[in-house]
Amino acid sequence: AFQTAISESKVTLDDMLGKVSVPLAQLPERGSAFKSTKNIEKPQVMRKHMTRVIEEALSEDPSVVYLGEDVRHGGYYLVTEGLAKKFPQRVLDFPPDETTLMGAALGFSQLGMTPIVEIPYAKYLDCGVDMFYEIAVQHWLTAPDSTNAKQKRGMIVRMQGFDRGLFGGNFHTHNSLAHIPPGVDVVCYSNGQDYVRGFRHALWQAKHGRIVMLVDCTNLLNLRHVHGKDRAWEHAYPTDPTDMVDFDQVFRYSSVDATSETNPNQDDSTELNHQRARIAIVTYGNGVVTSLQARKGLVDQKVVGGEDEIDVIDCPYLSSVPAGLEKMLGDYDHVLFADICKEGPGSNVFSSMITSLHQRGSLPESWGFVGAPRTYNPLGSTVTFLNQDTIEEAMAKLLNQC
């Protein structure tokens, strides 16, 4: 064995970085037979779309299984409500033991199935984190190369019970993302429409061997309004099953239209009626709604002259800098990164992104960072989460420095 090891070619850093996970699978072509149903589909809250896209996944592929704790009864947030009746053999309950749950998911993937694993609350991943890292390492060890052309399935990990909430204190409203092993794709969507398209992409990549973790913000599940009773956070279900959001895509919320979006990978000529703002707030998940509310607050306080001066950029992919974000940042003079995770080491995702962007020379001269306070979340209060006034104060400070 020693002689074999000595005779083998030496491992290089490029080899290791290139094999941290299986390559991203090319997306299927968009279906031409589907027509827009924007005016037909009734706009719904995010939770309804989440249930529907999971049902879509189970219906289209018998190799997909859904695992969790009390998921046969709808799960802790009713995301799987009614699915066990339709798929009694593939919606499976496990005891409250996250290590066993993650280990079972690994077994399913090794058998050629595609597991979707629900972690009932984000903090509970700590209990199964050793197995979570083991899964990442196992997929790294078995990533296909010239001698191993066969790749087992990956999986989706649905981590819910994240960020703002009143129930259960810190253990049920956790807002730190400390566990992101190399090769794991982490995404956090802000609305139901993007969630559906992002989930489809996550499932597609999982079927081709990648591990994708979806982080679901509790506050968004049943949210309807951004300002007053505007129902701006209800969206129509995207019915084309080939309609997906890839990891490089970010979304631009411009002017006063809280539901507009822009694909930065498209040519700028496709961005109709978009006047460039000079200020941007980069965020994700629940931070998108909070930032949209802060934008209005900054106008009310006369920090800026109008909402058209500030764009909110939704950056769902959190494992590294999305290409769409890096491309878009060049449009702005001032950028504030608003992270819904806690400030400080080992807690948030934007700190490392900012470092990478700075090293590449992709940040404007005027930029800032704000996150949730570095403390624990009490029962019955939202004071320790990233709030509207926190973003407003950080933006005012950033602009006053210039």
Side-chain angles (χ1 to χ4, degrees), residues 269-316:
S269 63
T270 64
E271 299 183 23
L272 301 178
N273 301 321
H274 176 250
Q275 296 181 353
R276 297 291 186 196
R278 64 186 183 92
I279 306 166
I281 303 173
V282 181
T283 187
Y284 60 93
N286 194 55
V288 175
V289 172
T290 308
S291 296
L292 290 169
Q293 294 166 343
R295 179 170 67 179
K296 184 176 184 300
L298 288 164
V299 175
D300 294 341
Q301 297 174 38
K302 302 187 185 308
V303 176
V304 295
E307 290 193 43
D308 58 343
E309 294 186 31
I310 302 177
D311 286 346
V312 175
I313 299 175
D314 183 0
C315 176

Side-chain angles (χ1 to χ4, degrees), residues 115-273:
I116 305 168
V117 191
E118 179 183 299
I119 304 296
Y121 296 103
K123 183 64 177 171
Y124 288 16
L125 182 61
D126 290 359
C127 301
V129 72
D130 284 347
M131 183 55 69
F132 184 46
Y133 274 83
E134 181 69 19
I135 289 169
V137 172
Q138 287 283 339
H139 280 72
W140 164 66
L141 287 172
T142 57
D145 55 27
S146 58
T147 60
N148 175 26
K150 186 177 181 180
Q151 169 63 37
K152 64 176 176 290
R153 296 287 183 101
M155 68 182 67
I156 290 178
V157 179
R158 265 203 64 241
M159 191 170 73
Q160 59 182 21
F162 186 76
D163 193 40
R164 179 187 298 271
L166 295 172
F167 166 72
N170 193 76
F171 286 93
H172 300 90
T173 58
H174 194 54
N175 57 334
S176 291
L177 287 174
H179 308 307
I180 306 181
V184 173
D185 300 303
V186 179
V187 287
C188 182
Y189 294 103
S190 66
N191 62 79
Q193 192 173 68
D194 293 343
Y195 189 97
V196 170
R197 294 182 291 172
F199 186 94
R200 289 170 179 155
H201 178 246
L203 187 65
W204 178 259
Q205 297 300 339
K207 290 179 179 180
H208 289 82
R210 293 182 76 99
I211 304 165
V212 186
M213 182 165 72
L214 280 78
V215 181
D216 300 340
C217 297
T218 304
N219 185 61
L220 296 175
L221 298 184
N222 297 296
L223 185 68
R224 298 181 184 276
H225 313 295
V226 178
H227 305 296
K229 300 292 184 181
D230 60 4
R231 306 184 81 91
W233 229 240
E234 297 177 335
H235 295 83
Y237 189 88
T239 54
D240 180 354
T242 62
D243 186 1
M244 301 182 185
V245 173
D246 66 34
F247 293 145
D248 277 328
Q249 187 167 345
V250 297
F251 302 89
R252 181 175 0 226
Y253 292 81
S254 302
S255 191
V256 296
D257 185 356
T259 60
S260 66
E261 66 180 48
T262 301
N263 183 345
N265 298 314
Q266 294 176 343
D267 184 79
D268 288 344
S269 63
T270 64
E271 299 183 23
L272 301 178
N273 301 321

Side-chain angles (χ1 to χ4, degrees), residues 7 24 90 109 253 392:
S7 63
L24 283 168
R90 290 190 289 132
S109 70
Y253 292 81
E392 292 172 4

Side-chain angles (χ1 to χ4, degrees), residues 69-82 84 118 160:
E69 301 167 16
D70 290 329
V71 294
R72 291 183 61 82
H73 303 284
Y76 291 9
Y77 292 101
L78 299 180
V79 172
T80 57
E81 186 176 28
E118 179 183 299
Q160 59 182 21

